[in-house]
Amino acid sequence: MELNCDRYLVVACDTSTDMLACAVAWWTPAAGAHEHARIEVLASADHLCRRHANVELVNSVKTVLEDAGKTMDDVDAVLVGRGPGSFTGVRIGISTAKGLARGANIPLHGVSTLDATAWRAWAAGVRGSVGVAADAMRGEVYPALYRLDDEGAHRQFERERVVKAQVAVEEWSALPQAGELQLTGDGLVRYGARFEAAGLTAHAVSREQWWPTGEGLLLAAAATMGSVPLDRDGDPALVLPIYTRLSDAEENERRRLGLAESAHVDTTGVADELAGRHLQLRPMGAADAEAASDLEVRCFAGAGHTPWTPTMFLEELAEGVAAPRSWWVAHDDGELIGIAGGMVVDCDVQILDVAVDASYRRQGIARKLLAHVSYDAQMLGCKTASLEVEADNAAARALYEALGFAETGVRRGYYGAGRDAIVMSTTLPLVLPVDAASPEPTAAAKRVWPAPVPERTEAERAAIARAQPVLAIESSCDETAVAIIAADGTMLANQVSTQIDFHARFGGVVPEIASRKHVEVIVGVVDAALEEAAASLELASGPLMPRELAAVGVTQGPGLVGALVVGVAFAKGFAFAAGAPLICVNHLEGHLYANLLTTPDLKPPFIFTLVSGGHTMLVHVRAWGDYEVLGETLDDAVGEAFDKVAKALGLGYPGGPIISRLAETGNPHAIEFPRALNRKGDYRFSLSGLKTAVMLYIEQENKAGRPLHLPDLAASFEAAVFDVQYKKAKAALHATGAKEYCIGGGVAANPHLREMMIRKLSRQGIRVTVPPQGACTDNAAMIAVVAREKYLRGEFSGFDIDADPNMTL
């Protein structure tokens, strides 16, 4: 059968293993639907590259293109290994490939790294049964069986999975073809002795073939996409790593809740149904007694039900109660909005109370609260659950029936004359349906890709040339942010995709979730910024295109290494493909420069306080780029201390906004908390002692059975933190003679801190600058301001830079 005459130039890369696989090839599609595409490799740069993939990948792509006599302008599509493999390695490969494809406006296609390894063996002449054991670390492998014949490598499994290496040994030893099984894969480097002890390595392929290659990637894709025209579809926003499990934090949470496997783990690697700030749940504490009683009043006043009093809740939580209890609360940003509790009696948990604020109903909150209570009851040996519900309460009866409860009796007049109670019971665990329906297609899934290239008018081209737009990417923690700034300082776009819902239930940022979400959303955030910039520049013909950018900036550090890696890898691929210079930005300097968004004429020398979730420092800014760090925290950062205190109080995450709101009605002098390192000339900070003092106060009040007055506690805690910030800033201003002061970081959004610094320092003739509220927490606008300054000075970086999680100011 004749092959199509069309052919495509493809760049293939993979960093899922210690092998950096990279090749450029001609791809000629097959004429038939079940035939393989024809591959002609023009150049390759496969090489072992342990822990340096982010440093070497883009330059490896550059090298193979140069060796083939091509440039990115000639490339029709990008092919990337999706893993499974090293988590960091997979993300480097996919993020770089996303950047290449989005920067060049060409398709991106993904292929299994396991398939690529099997096809490498096929290309080397291996035939018969082959077992690929890819290294998953932690004593685990990704096992995959193939049958290799003259036609190619054929999968003998449905989906990738991860198992303990010993499990793979036992499974493969039990195969009928175990004696002829030919092993390959980088897992043999670490666990080969286990396979050898079982007699499985007698026919292992040669060691140099244990890793995937660029050719292997191309052959694997050619077998599954043989007749696919590579210049269509292939939206880079939709290419994600192959996930075999959730993050450890999510796995533990799902097991604790008794939930089934996540419906979307294969798609995103994150349990989306565990997200939701309205579903933050925790055990009830003594500090909740008053709020729980208030909720009871709101829910049941006038309904013939006598609301529980704070004392009644405290008695339920007291040590030494006759029967074990389980009480849980739900909250939204610190406001208690749901409760449920039960008492264990003879292997049955009797549900004592369920209440959800009227404005939060129909969100599954009662269902999830009862799931926690029933889980605790199971751990205490319960087999059944029972409750009473008013006969006329149709909504509540429907909820309990959906959870598996059935009517077992009637108590006449239980709620008053003529108001019967229906007794309902069920066996444990509760029925907890998980909505496994596929989500609606995202905007990215519906769009046409590659994006149509706008036909610019002369006026539009002139507007872009005047603007010299610089795009900046921020991914240091749990926000994926992209901003675009003009050379004159005009902010053309500012987009943020927050992950706060995914981290809230864990009381803080889970690095593995943060990294996975960055990979998932980064293309979409870039697209949104390019569209917003086009609107700002009044480009009616279409969104700003990557090749119309003057430069690409990115946060290099400090931050979470897995999160930084995604942004840096994407930015490098994006800038290289777009033909734009790359600019690296220090995240801490970004917080400093954010003040220029409010006060463009701010000039050194001045004193700067950085107060964020990861950093607390006092800086003498002698000149732009010339910084003297006068003092830093010896332990907890300010934002971290707020989060820990909020967590101890069960108020949720992030703690800063919650405590700030509570403090508005509190007395800052109600509780005398310590002020550490409050000595003249000492610019260091320490918050561990204050945090411990707060914890001890909470413990003492709980033991005494006294409900905490949260507003007073919050206000007193804030006062202890901010008094020290003010005194040290004042001392530094006096010592240096500076007449300007500014602040930055997530805690700089706190209205009480901002107001105090402005009020007190202004009285002393100091001009105080505070950044816009939206530019205090992590954002790309502040990164764009720094990137613009570096662009104007011509300070560019090479494509061999890597993320630096420990970067200092």
Side-chain angles (χ1 to χ4, degrees), residues 445-649:
K446 296 176 182 177
R447 68 179 180 169
V448 175
W449 187 261
V453 178
E455 295 184 10
R456 301 291 192 209
T457 65
E458 186 175 337
E460 288 179 331
R461 288 195 295 270
I464 295 170
R466 285 193 303 271
Q468 301 178 67
V470 175
L471 180 144
I473 297 169
E474 155 62 23
S475 69
S476 63
C477 192
D478 61 340
E479 311 281 19
T480 312
V482 178
I484 300 177
I485 192 171
D488 65 2
T490 302
M491 197 62 62
L492 303 176
N494 188 19
Q495 296 287 325
V496 179
S497 174
T498 183
Q499 306 173 11
I500 197 167
D501 287 2
F502 294 89
H503 303 281
R505 66 181 300 112
F506 301 106
V509 176
V510 180
E512 177 63 19
I513 295 177
S515 186
R516 294 186 184 196
K517 295 303 291 184
H518 286 311
V519 176
E520 180 184 345
V521 305
I522 192 165
V523 172
V525 183
V526 167
D527 288 347
L530 292 171
E531 291 174 1
E532 184 185 352
S536 298
L537 293 171
E538 299 182 344
L539 306 179
S541 56
L544 196 65
M545 300 299 286
R547 288 194 171 276
E548 295 172 324
L549 295 168
V552 175
V554 65
T555 298
Q556 185 181 12
L560 301 175
V561 63
L564 288 166
V565 156
V566 174
V568 169
F570 179 91
K572 291 198 299 179
F574 185 79
F576 174 72
L582 179 71
I583 299 170
C584 290
V585 176
N586 184 317
H587 179 81
L588 304 181
E589 195 170 28
H591 279 301
L592 169 58
Y593 272 71
N595 287 275
L596 291 175
L597 296 170
T598 301
T599 311
D601 65 343
L602 177 65
K603 289 183 175 60
F606 56 83
I607 297 298
F608 169 62
T609 298
L610 175 60
V611 277
S612 68
H615 302 88
T616 298
M617 60 175 63
L618 190 66
V619 182
H620 180 203
V621 180
R622 295 180 289 211
W624 295 115
D626 181 6
Y627 311 121
E628 178 189 7
V629 178
L630 301 176
E632 298 182 77
T633 182
L634 301 178
D635 35 64
D636 294 338
V638 171
E640 183 182 6
F642 271 82
D643 288 341
K644 288 180 177 178
V645 168
K647 186 174 182 179
L649 291 169

Side-chain angles (χ1 to χ4, degrees), residues 282-564:
R282 58 172 172 77
M284 181 184 286
D288 298 313
E290 287 187 344
S293 180
D294 290 342
L295 176 65
E296 281 267 301
V297 172
R298 295 199 303 273
C299 291
F300 301 116
H305 167 78
T306 302
W308 290 50
T309 65
T311 301
M312 293 169 67
F313 281 114
L314 288 172
E315 289 173 349
E316 285 289 304
L317 300 171
E319 295 181 8
V321 289
R325 261 71 160 181
S326 171
W327 282 91
W328 283 78
V329 300
H331 56 88
D332 173 23
D333 280 348
E335 179 186 358
L336 192 146
I337 49 97
I339 60 172
M343 174 176 64
V344 175
V345 178
D346 295 333
C347 296
D348 177 73
V349 57
Q350 298 178 5
I351 305 302
L352 302 175
D353 196 9
V354 182
V356 175
D357 188 277
S359 59
Y360 289 87
R361 289 172 188 165
R362 301 187 182 279
Q363 296 183 26
I365 295 174
R367 188 187 303 266
K368 293 182 183 296
L369 285 166
L370 287 169
H372 281 73
V373 173
S374 71
Y375 178 86
D376 289 347
Q378 284 181 268
M379 297 302 99
L380 293 170
C382 289
K383 306 296 183 184
T384 60
S386 60
L387 53 82
E388 294 92 17
V389 58
E390 190 170 353
D392 294 336
N393 192 339
R397 292 180 63 179
L399 165 66
Y400 300 138
E401 288 171 359
L403 293 172
F405 283 86
E407 182 177 337
T408 56
V410 178
R411 293 184 177 175
R412 303 295 181 188
Y414 185 78
Y415 291 106
R419 301 175 63 192
D420 300 339
I422 303 298
V423 181
M424 306 182 77
S425 299
T426 187
T427 56
L428 296 178
L430 295 182
V431 176
L432 292 172
V434 176
D435 182 9
S438 298
E440 285 294 314
T442 62
K446 296 176 182 177
R447 68 179 180 169
V448 175
W449 187 261
V453 178
E455 295 184 10
R456 301 291 192 209
T457 65
E458 186 175 337
E460 288 179 331
R461 288 195 295 270
I464 295 170
R466 285 193 303 271
Q468 301 178 67
V470 175
L471 180 144
I473 297 169
E474 155 62 23
S475 69
S476 63
C477 192
D478 61 340
E479 311 281 19
T480 312
V482 178
I484 300 177
I485 192 171
D488 65 2
T490 302
M491 197 62 62
L492 303 176
N494 188 19
Q495 296 287 325
V496 179
S497 174
T498 183
Q499 306 173 11
I500 197 167
D501 287 2
F502 294 89
H503 303 281
R505 66 181 300 112
F506 301 106
V509 176
V510 180
E512 177 63 19
I513 295 177
S515 186
R516 294 186 184 196
K517 295 303 291 184
H518 286 311
V519 176
E520 180 184 345
V521 305
I522 192 165
V523 172
V525 183
V526 167
D527 288 347
L530 292 171
E531 291 174 1
E532 184 185 352
S536 298
L537 293 171
E538 299 182 344
L539 306 179
S541 56
L544 196 65
M545 300 299 286
R547 288 194 171 276
E548 295 172 324
L549 295 168
V552 175
V554 65
T555 298
Q556 185 181 12
L560 301 175
V561 63
L564 288 166

Side-chain angles (χ1 to χ4, degrees), residues 123-136:
V126 176
R127 299 294 184 269
S129 295
V130 172
V132 177
D135 189 3

Side-chain angles (χ1 to χ4, degrees), residues 218-288:
L218 289 157
L219 291 171
T224 56
M225 302 165 51
S227 60
V228 174
L230 292 192
D231 61 346
R232 294 201 294 266
D233 300 322
D235 188 341
L238 305 181
V239 177
L240 294 170
I242 293 175
Y243 294 106
T244 57
R245 59 183 169 215
L246 296 170
S247 67
D248 289 345
E250 290 171 295
E251 291 281 12
N252 293 336
E253 182 71 357
R254 294 193 69 82
R255 282 195 293 269
R256 198 183 73 80
L257 295 176
L259 296 178
E261 181 178 350
S262 175
H264 311 302
V265 65
D266 286 345
T267 306
T268 67
V270 177
D272 298 307
E273 62 270 34
L274 289 183
R277 298 182 71 181
H278 297 298
L279 301 182
Q280 292 188 60
L281 309 177
R282 58 172 172 77
M284 181 184 286
D288 298 313

Side-chain angles (χ1 to χ4, degrees), residues 83-84 110-122 132 144-146 148 153-157 160 212-213 215-221 223-224 242:
V111 65
S112 166
T113 302
L114 302 181
D115 290 352
T117 304
W119 275 95
R120 181 185 188 180
W122 179 87
V132 177
L145 291 174
Y146 295 84
L148 274 56
H154 309 279
R155 282 184 169 215
Q156 306 298 294
F157 61 97
E160 289 80 355
T213 60
E215 181 186 28
L217 291 166
L218 289 157
L219 291 171
T224 56
I242 293 175

